[in-house]
Structure formats: C-alpha cells, structure tokens
Amino acid sequence: MRFFPWGFWLLCVASAPARGDSGGKARSCAEVRQLYGAKGFSLSGVPQAEISGEHLRICPQGYTCCTSEMEENFANKSRSEFEAMMKEAGRSVQMTLTAQHRSFDSYFQDLLNKSEKALYDAFPSLYGELYTQNMKVFKDLYSELRRYYRGSNINLEEALNEFWTRLLERLFKLMNPQYHITDEYLDCMVKHAEQHKPFGEVPRDLKVKATRAFIAARSYAQGFLVGSDVVKKVSQVSLSHECTRAIMKLMYCPHCRGMSSVKPCNNYCLNVVKGCLANQADLNTEWKYLMDSLVVVADRIDGPYNVDTVIGTIHMRISEAISNLQENKDSITAKVFQGCGNPKISTKGSSSEDKRRWGKVALEAKSSAQALEMLVLDAKGNLTALKTYWITLPGSLCSKKVMASLVADDKCWNGMTKGSYLPEVMGDGLANQINNPEVEVDITKPDMTIRQQIMQLKIMTNRLGNANIGNDVDFQDASDDMSGSGSGDSCPDDVCGKRLSKSPSTRQPETHAIPKQSGHGINGASSRSLPSAFLLLLSVAFIAAQHLWR
C-alpha cells in the first residue's frame, strides 16, 4: 500500500491540463498560415492550431504553429532576406560612390577634351605646316594623358619629355629648312636642349604642375571605384550556418510562437547582426582612412593641384612654349650649331610656308572653377557621411529593415518570448564576438574575402597618400594587387568554405538554439507541459498502479 499515495499523485499530475492557459484550448495559427503563404510556400501540412514543438531545432520548443519543414523554410527565407538587405544597403553606398566618380570623371574628361579641341581649332591658322605636318605629335600627347588618367602604367614625366623632344625636332627642322638635318644631328641637338631651354620654363613648369594634377585626379577617381567595388564584394559574402540560425530565430520564431505582432528587442537584434557582420565591421578602420584620404586629395584638386587651371590650359602652355622658341630662334640655332657643328646645306629649296612667321595669338581658356568647387563640396559631404558605414550598419538594419522595437521596450521578442532583453550589446568587429550570446562566431577564422578587401583599401589609401604629396605610383587596376576576390590563391576552397561554420555532420549541438523551458521567467512557456511529458507520466502512473494492485 506504500505505493498508493505516489501512484495517485502521478495520476493527478498526468490528468492535469497540458497547457498553462485556463481554457487549455490551442490557439489559432491563422496569422502564421497567412505569412507562410505570402512567402510563397504551400499551406499543405501547416497546422490550423498550435501543436507540440519538441521537433523544433531553432525556435523555442513550446507550443508552436511551425512544423520542422516550416522552420527549415523560414530559416532559408530569413537567410536570403538578410543577404538581400545587405546587398540593398551596399547598393546605396555603391551608387553614392559611383555617382561621385562619374561626376568627377565627366568633369575631368571634359576639361581635357576642351583643351584638345581649342588646340585643334587655333593651331592650323597660327602655325600652318607646324601643326598640319605634325598633328600626330599633339594627338599622341592627349592620348597619353588620357591613358595615364585611366590608370595605364605610363610614366607621365617621360611622356611629357617625349612630347617636347619630338616637337623640338620638328620645329628645328621647320626653322632651318635650308639645312639637311639628319637624325644624328637631332640627337645632338636634343642633348643640348635642357641647357639651352628652347621652350623657356614652360616644359619644366608644366611637368611639375601637370604630373601633380594628373596623379591626384586619377588616384581620386580610382578611389571612388575601389570603394564601390569593396562594398559590392563584401555585401556578397554569404552568411554562416550559425548566423542563419540566429537570423531565423530573430525574424521568424516569434511568428511560430504566435507572436506575429511582437517586434524583436533592439539590443537583441544588434547582437545578432553584430555577430553576423563581425568580419564586415573589421573594415571600419581602413574604410575611414580611405574616406579621409579622398577628402584630403579633393582639397588638393581644388587647391594647390587645381585641375581646372592646369588641365584646362595645356593648349595655352604649348602655344606659349612655341612662342618662346620663335622669339629666341636665332640665338638657340646659333648655340646648337656651336655645340653640334654646322649642318650641311640642303639641296631642297624652302617653301613660302617655311619662311612664314608663325602667328602669336593669345589663347583663352574658359574657367570651370565654380563647377569644380561644387563637385568637391558635394563629394566631401558624401564621404564624411559614409565614414562610419560599417559600424553603423547593424543599427541601420535593425531599425529600418528588421523593424526592431525601442531599446527600453520590455514587451519585445527577446529570442524566447515577449519581454525585456537583458544581455549587453557586443562591441564591433570579430574579436568582440567571443561572448556573443546570440551567434556562435569563431573569432580565430576571419573571412578571407573580407581580409582581401581590407588589403585593397590599404593599397588605395597608400596611393592617395602618395598623390597628396605629388608622388607617382605604379598604378594598376586594384584587382591586379590581389588574386581574386573570393578564396584567392592563399585560401583554398576547402578552407575558405568553412570560414565561420563547421560541417553540419561534425558541428556540436547548439545549446543556445534549443533553449531550456525552465528558469527563464517566460509567461506560458515554463508552465506548459508537453504531450511527451504527459505520456511519460501516464506510463509511470500505470506502472505504479500495477504495483499497487499486486
């Protein structure tokens, strides 16, 4: 008879209501069914009312409206939706940077085109055969300038020196048509050119100013493209397995628990997103350096290296140089003859064109300084606004995309139920996620794609630093500096494919993904007993009764 009280107690417990609510009636799953169907899934097999949730592997295992299939579908959906959020946020930054590049590039190219057109319009009437017979020399100069600006590996100083050399050779022949001037004689003449300064100070002055302006301009333009490309590649980085589970728990588990109208707690959302974007946040330091460097070079472009003054007047400087040579023709010729000897008299007679004195007309350049000033001001404003993009991204996604609740709200979804969220918010970056309560992050395995993009930012910032002080650099496309943007040569696929996640077949169970039901202070969660527990108690009671009857 000693078993009777125990068996009777078990029978009483087993026969108690299975749910903590007074009526014991399962709640309707109408809201979840509507959401599930709106996401494009079939409603076949979707519960009409809440069912037992011991099958759940991500959401809390209380009574639920989600089957295992629904949980898996919602997890995949949350992953694709979050990745889409990342790409959308990235596209906004990309559009800003590419728009700035397009504006400056259009302005700069227009300056160069107008200078070239002004030369083509004025030089035929000014210089006659000098221009018509040597048009290619001028065309080649502008062609080289454009190639340099676009990033070709050209030594700009050498290109300018080559232009002045070729121009001098042709001018010297035209100035002395009565002589037979051989290539060997021209080589000798060119060697003395630096000493005689046939074009005055124009070549040296233009070389100093033009190289600084072009170096700054092309580094500045390329900086926008590199920044845009980095954002694009980083925004395409896939979520880890752990992050997918955390995002699912954040975005869809409240729906499974019949809390469709409850918003996620803001701090809870921040911890999830900071954990998922830990590697991206590590871009912050180099990203800020790039934005700051672009601002500094922008000031140079509209200041000491003013591209409007330098680029827009190239044709005028060339005309000035030719005039200098014309005015000092006799003394320069005498010095060349003295250094290289008298050339032989040519048997070919000189034409009337040869004897003609070249015209000297003051060329004008239309200033677009105000347009440049506006471009720089607009760029600096946008660059300043983008400086903190990577560390403000989690907050932006939580408030604008996930629609998280207010920080102080105590009736928000905290990952388990409706209530306040107590854990502290993690810091930014990979190293600060070691104790993230929401996302399991392996801080020893940084994402290689993102590390490569950090290197791209460093390389571009270094180029801008050189441009700021007028130093030229070996300027290849950013993609040439690092091999690829994915796993790369230094990171095999079998390693990079496991960046922040373990193989599903070997990973350890996630204790945080299937939370305990007791000791959490959750209304309706700890008080609900599951049908499996009910059957267990009933079996024990039956055994006890058998012992009693014996």
Side-chain angles (χ1 to χ4, degrees):
M1 295 298 293
R2 66 183 179 277
F3 294 106
F4 177 79
W6 177 56
F8 181 77
W9 177 80
L10 286 175
L11 284 173
C12 292
V13 172
S15 61
R19 294 171 51 110
D21 52 59
S22 57
K25 184 179 178 181
R27 288 183 292 188
S28 169
C29 293
E31 288 185 350
V32 179
R33 288 174 59 84
Q34 182 179 1
L35 173 68
Y36 196 66
K39 296 295 180 181
F41 300 114
S42 170
L43 294 179
S44 176
V46 178
Q48 296 285 350
E50 286 184 328
I51 59 175
S52 169
E54 71 270 11
H55 57 276
L56 298 177
R57 291 295 174 265
I58 300 177
C59 296
Q61 290 186 318
Y63 271 81
T64 183
C65 284
C66 290
T67 62
S68 294
E69 181 182 1
M70 291 174 67
E71 187 180 45
E72 182 180 355
N73 287 337
F74 273 141
N76 292 332
K77 193 67 177 177
S78 64
R79 174 180 184 142
S80 62
E81 288 179 344
F82 188 79
E83 289 178 347
M85 291 178 196
M86 273 290 294
K87 290 178 182 177
E88 183 182 350
R91 275 194 295 270
S92 176
V93 178
Q94 287 176 252
M95 288 175 61
T96 299
L97 293 174
T98 53
Q100 291 299 325
H101 171 267
R102 193 180 302 114
S103 296
F104 178 76
D105 181 69
S106 176
Y107 164 81
F108 189 85
Q109 298 270 20
D110 189 53
L111 273 181
L112 208 52
N113 291 340
K114 286 180 177 178
S115 173
E116 186 175 21
K117 185 178 183 302
L119 186 147
Y120 294 161
D121 289 344
F123 277 35
S125 60
L126 288 177
Y127 304 115
E129 284 189 5
L130 162 66
Y131 176 75
T132 57
Q133 292 181 6
N134 301 291
M135 184 185 301
K136 190 175 185 302
V137 177
F138 301 101
K139 285 185 175 293
D140 286 349
L141 171 65
Y142 281 94
S143 176
E144 288 292 276
L145 293 177
R146 286 192 182 88
R147 288 183 59 213
Y148 178 86
Y149 167 70
R150 290 168 183 161
S152 295
N153 190 22
I154 296 172
N155 187 307
L156 187 56
E157 290 191 7
E158 289 181 3
L160 289 169
N161 288 338
E162 176 67 15
F163 165 73
W164 293 117
T165 296
R166 292 173 64 193
L167 184 60
L168 178 59
E169 290 174 348
R170 284 153 179 77
L171 287 176
F172 191 80
K173 279 188 173 184
L174 285 174
M175 289 191 306
N176 300 280
Q178 69 274 29
Y179 295 104
H180 175 67
I181 300 183
T182 64
D183 290 342
E184 291 77 12
Y185 194 88
L186 288 176
D187 288 340
C188 177
M189 182 266 298
V190 169
K191 289 179 181 178
H192 291 79
E194 183 67 26
Q195 177 185 353
H196 303 322
K197 296 184 179 179
F199 295 117
E201 295 295 331
V202 173
R204 188 195 65 81
D205 185 57
L206 182 61
K207 181 166 65 175
V208 170
K209 293 180 178 177
T211 51
R212 287 181 174 179
F214 269 91
I215 290 168
R218 77 168 185 171
S219 298
Y220 183 68
Q222 189 71 9
F224 288 114
L225 294 181
V226 169
S228 177
D229 189 59
V230 166
V231 175
K232 179 182 178 181
K233 289 175 180 174
V234 170
S235 298
Q236 292 173 344
V237 172
S238 298
L239 298 182
S240 68
H241 179 70
E242 288 78 7
C243 183
T244 299
R245 295 169 63 87
I247 292 293
M248 155 64 185
K249 192 175 178 183
L250 171 74
M251 297 175 64
Y252 286 106
C253 284
H255 297 281
C256 291
R257 291 298 302 271
M259 302 178 187
S260 298
S261 61
V262 180
K263 297 179 179 179
C265 299
N266 187 69
N267 285 357
Y268 169 43
C269 180
L270 286 175
N271 274 342
V272 170
V273 179
K274 284 192 175 193
C276 289
L277 303 184
N279 281 279
Q280 286 85 339
D282 282 346
L283 287 157
N284 179 60
T285 298
E286 295 303 328
W287 179 262
K288 286 198 302 183
Y289 287 157
L290 178 65
M291 298 297 106
D292 286 338
S293 297
L294 283 168
V295 169
V296 171
V297 174
D299 284 330
R300 290 287 186 181
I301 286 172
D302 190 29
Y305 305 161
N306 193 286
V307 295
D308 179 69
T309 302
V310 177
I311 311 305
T313 61
I314 291 176
H315 62 290
M316 297 173 62
R317 302 311 306 275
I318 294 173
S319 180
E320 180 185 348
I322 294 172
S323 296
N324 288 338
L325 179 62
Q326 175 186 335
E327 291 173 358
N328 299 289
K329 169 188 171 182
D330 295 337
S331 63
I332 291 171
T333 300
K335 290 177 181 177
V336 171
F337 284 1
Q338 183 180 0
C340 300
N342 294 327
K344 295 180 179 179
I345 300 295
S346 175
T347 56
K348 178 184 176 183
S350 59
S351 65
S352 58
E353 181 69 31
D354 296 330
K355 298 176 181 178
R356 163 184 167 181
R357 181 176 176 83
W358 302 323
K360 184 178 180 181
V361 178
L363 300 179
E364 294 183 359
K366 294 182 179 178
S367 175
S368 54
Q370 187 174 3
L372 176 61
E373 183 180 356
M374 293 302 296
L375 278 176
V376 168
L377 283 174
D378 185 52
K380 288 167 68 175
N382 282 299
L383 291 167
T384 301
L386 292 177
K387 279 176 62 173
T388 58
Y389 170 70
W390 295 106
I391 57 172
T392 57
L393 183 58
S396 177
L397 290 176
C398 283
S399 62
K400 296 178 182 178
K401 303 298 181 182
V402 181
M403 302 297 291
S405 184
L406 298 176
V407 177
D409 194 351
D410 60 354
K411 296 181 180 180
C412 50
W413 172 251
N414 60 17
M416 294 296 294
T417 188
K418 181 170 69 174
S420 58
Y421 183 76
L422 300 180
E424 64 177 340
V425 178
M426 298 294 100
D428 301 304
L430 190 61
N432 286 316
Q433 306 311 311
I434 190 170
N435 293 317
N436 192 310
E438 309 304 335
V439 189
E440 181 183 337
V441 181
D442 187 346
I443 66 170
T444 66
K445 294 182 179 179
D447 185 278
M448 293 308 297
T449 295
I450 293 177
R451 297 298 135 173
Q452 287 177 339
Q453 297 313 305
I454 290 174
M455 182 58 66
Q456 297 288 44
L457 293 174
K458 289 182 178 180
I459 291 170
M460 191 65 243
T461 300
N462 181 61
R463 288 173 176 162
L464 288 164
N466 277 288
N468 183 46
I469 57 177
N471 288 344
D472 205 353
V473 290
D474 182 13
F475 203 99
Q476 297 294 327
D477 288 338
S479 58
D480 294 339
D481 295 311
M482 298 290 289
S483 56
S485 60
S487 58
D489 295 339
S490 60
C491 183
D493 291 340
D494 60 342
V495 175
C496 288
K498 304 174 184 177
R499 290 179 188 124
L500 294 180
S501 63
K502 303 172 186 175
S503 171
S505 60
T506 60
R507 64 183 300 278
Q508 297 298 315
E510 292 179 283
T511 55
H512 70 283
I514 306 177
K516 297 179 181 179
Q517 296 296 314
S518 62
H520 205 284
I522 302 174
N523 296 331
S526 60
S527 61
R528 292 181 180 179
S529 58
L530 302 178
S532 55
F534 173 81
L535 293 175
L536 176 63
L537 291 174
L538 187 61
S539 298
V540 173
F542 180 74
I543 294 171
Q546 283 185 322
H547 281 285
L548 177 64
W549 292 333
R550 288 177 186 174

